[in-house]
Amino acid sequence: MTKKIYLAGGCFWGAEHFLKRIYGVVSTRVGFANGDVEAPSYKLVYTDTTGHAETVEVEYDPDRLSLAFLVEMYFKAIDPVSVNQQGEDSGTRYRTGIYYENPEDRDVIDYIFEGEARKYSEPLAVEVLPLKCFYPAEEYHQDYLDKNPDGYCHLPAALFDLSRGARCPMRRVRDFLEANNLPYEIYFHPPLSTIEKALEYWKDIKAVHCKNLFMRNHKGNRHYLISFECHKELDIHSLEHRLHQGKLSFASPERMSRCLGLRPGSVSPFGLINDQPERRFAFDGGSALITSPGSLRSLPANEHSAGNDKELFENGHRVKFYIDQDLMAAARISFHPCDNTASVVIAREDFLRFLEIWGGEYEWLDCNPDSIS
């Protein structure tokens, strides 16, 4: 069954063209949302007297596309701190907004919103509200840039390349498991930002659930992923003793994106599918490199360059994986699929097959409190 979300991102010609290319989007329509005039014309909305925002109705398949990823992609195509303006287009009709039909979607939207807000010193100008109304625009506005390839658009072409066929991390994980005949079960839930909150949803899932940390050494040329049973507590100093890798610190979001193709809050061993010797950019060719519409971040050699081999282990991978040795006794293990709105349960032996297919270096780790040496 498909779902819908309504996204206002400036001129709806470009916004629709960007969103419709994402893998899992079933259909799109452009129109006018959350205003005060019934069934307005484009000409009337253009006067900025109706209260409507130019909006894209996005119908998507949640089995192929998570709402979290869809909203995250939306943020890549807007300037979220700009008030009533996107590109050269200004007026209240060009305001940014996320309008939802299903109240349960609010938790996911807020989760992504809060993550985006931490990137800026200014408050975000994106309104998040229940959908009050949506009226389709005239037919000539639908799929406008398909009909008029040289038509006006406020978005750079690089963004369309970014969204073309972009798959959400959850779907990429599931595709990988299915392609390699690794059975799994998936359980959907709201975003789980703490273990305490997660335990409420995990109580009926028969599996050992895990925490995951992504660390770097003091030189910044080695990265380590650590997974351990969720009730355990590990501080950095104890990890330094256990790993014998020198001084450790949490890796930055940029490193997380580069090495595992993930964003903060979504660290999982399944992100190792993005750590392959032949891959040098995360997010299907570098969506993490887009910082704002019309702007591509420069790529310092020590941060994003495909030619930087100083981070590589001898096996060509960027990450070494440490896993709690107590999980050797677990029949079933649970990790989220690089998206904390779901949990994937996999048999221990199938997870070990997953690690073999990944091909990087991993090591069992004693994570018990009295094991420091």
Side-chain angles (χ1 to χ4, degrees):
M1 185 174 69
T2 61
K3 296 180 64 176
K4 291 181 180 179
I5 193 75
Y6 296 79
L7 303 172
C11 175
F12 51 25
W13 293 344
E16 181 189 38
H17 202 62
F18 173 81
L19 293 165
K20 69 188 296 182
R21 292 167 170 244
I22 299 170
Y23 178 81
V25 170
V26 175
S27 67
T28 55
R29 287 193 302 174
V30 300
F32 315 111
N34 278 31
D36 303 315
V37 176
E38 185 176 353
S41 65
Y42 177 79
K43 184 176 180 180
L44 182 58
V45 171
Y46 196 81
T47 66
D48 247 5
T49 60
T50 67
H52 282 286
E54 290 198 11
T55 300
V56 184
E57 176 190 72
V58 181
E59 182 181 7
Y60 66 98
D61 178 356
D63 191 56
R64 294 186 288 160
L65 172 61
S66 72
L67 178 60
F69 183 72
L70 178 55
V71 174
E72 186 178 11
M73 289 293 287
Y74 159 77
F75 269 100
K76 294 181 185 299
I78 63 170
D79 179 350
V81 297
S82 180
V83 179
N84 297 333
Q85 181 168 353
Q86 293 294 302
E88 299 299 317
D89 304 315
S90 62
T92 58
R93 65 192 179 279
Y94 296 121
R95 68 185 184 270
T96 52
I98 303 171
Y99 311 121
Y100 56 91
E101 291 182 309
N102 303 306
E104 62 268 24
D105 289 345
R106 183 63 190 252
D107 285 343
V108 177
I109 297 167
D110 286 346
Y111 171 71
I112 300 300
F113 185 99
E114 290 163 8
E116 293 293 326
R118 288 192 287 270
K119 301 176 182 178
Y120 298 88
S121 57
E122 307 166 69
L124 300 193
V126 181
E127 59 184 14
V128 179
L129 295 168
L131 181 72
K132 183 172 69 173
C133 58
F134 175 80
Y135 300 104
E138 293 87 341
E139 181 58 32
Y140 74 90
H141 290 292
Q142 308 299 331
D143 303 309
Y144 182 84
L145 290 179
D146 287 335
K147 300 170 183 174
N148 303 276
D150 297 323
Y152 167 78
C153 181
H154 70 291
L155 296 177
L159 279 171
F160 301 134
D161 293 336
L162 169 69
S163 67
R164 184 185 294 112
R167 290 178 181 247
C168 71
M170 185 188 305
R171 187 63 256 176
R172 293 204 302 271
V173 168
R174 297 178 69 183
D175 287 346
F176 185 93
L177 296 176
E178 291 164 10
N180 288 283
N181 298 312
L182 297 171
Y184 68 92
E185 298 170 8
I186 188 165
Y187 299 86
F188 296 95
H189 46 63
L192 303 178
S193 54
T194 66
I195 290 297
E196 291 72 24
K197 187 173 181 180
L199 288 172
E200 298 176 16
Y201 291 91
W202 289 344
K203 63 181 185 296
D204 297 322
I205 302 176
K206 294 181 179 180
V208 175
H209 304 281
C210 297
K211 291 181 184 178
N212 306 284
L213 303 178
F214 187 57
M215 314 294 292
R216 51 165 284 190
N217 67 353
H218 69 287
K219 292 183 179 180
N221 65 343
R222 291 291 183 268
H223 297 89
Y224 310 101
L225 175 63
I226 305 100
S227 294
F228 53 99
E229 197 275 332
C230 69
H231 290 93
K232 295 181 180 180
E233 295 292 339
L234 292 178
D235 61 27
I236 292 179
H237 295 301
S238 69
L239 281 174
E240 290 169 349
H241 280 284
R242 288 166 166 80
L243 271 58
H244 305 291
Q245 301 292 339
K247 187 174 178 60
L248 300 174
S249 59
F250 290 104
S252 67
E254 290 77 16
R255 291 173 181 272
M256 190 181 301
S257 171
R258 182 174 69 252
C259 296
L260 293 174
L262 303 179
R263 55 176 165 74
S266 65
V267 177
S268 165
F270 291 128
L272 294 170
I273 66 175
N274 296 315
D275 174 34
Q276 297 295 336
E278 69 275 12
R279 296 188 64 170
R280 291 293 175 262
F281 292 103
F283 281 119
D284 290 328
S287 71
L289 306 181
I290 300 291
T291 57
S292 63
S295 172
L296 293 179
R297 180 185 301 168
S298 61
L299 307 179
N302 66 338
E303 279 297 319
H304 299 287
S305 172
N308 176 22
D309 291 336
K310 293 181 180 180
E311 294 177 348
L312 302 181
F313 290 92
E314 291 183 2
N315 56 24
H317 293 265
R318 292 189 185 277
V319 179
K320 180 174 180 179
F321 180 42
Y322 289 91
I323 183 169
D324 187 349
Q325 67 179 22
D326 287 348
L327 297 180
M328 285 192 287
R332 290 153 50 91
I333 311 174
S334 169
F335 307 100
H336 62 67
C338 303
D339 186 317
N340 71 356
T341 62
S343 296
V344 161
V345 174
I346 187 170
R348 181 193 64 251
E349 59 269 24
D350 290 323
F351 183 65
L352 293 178
R353 285 177 55 212
F354 167 84
L355 294 178
E356 290 175 5
I357 295 167
W358 165 54
E361 183 178 355
Y362 71 94
E363 184 177 323
W364 294 97
L365 180 70
D366 188 346
C367 295
N368 294 304
D370 57 356
S371 66
I372 297 177
S373 59

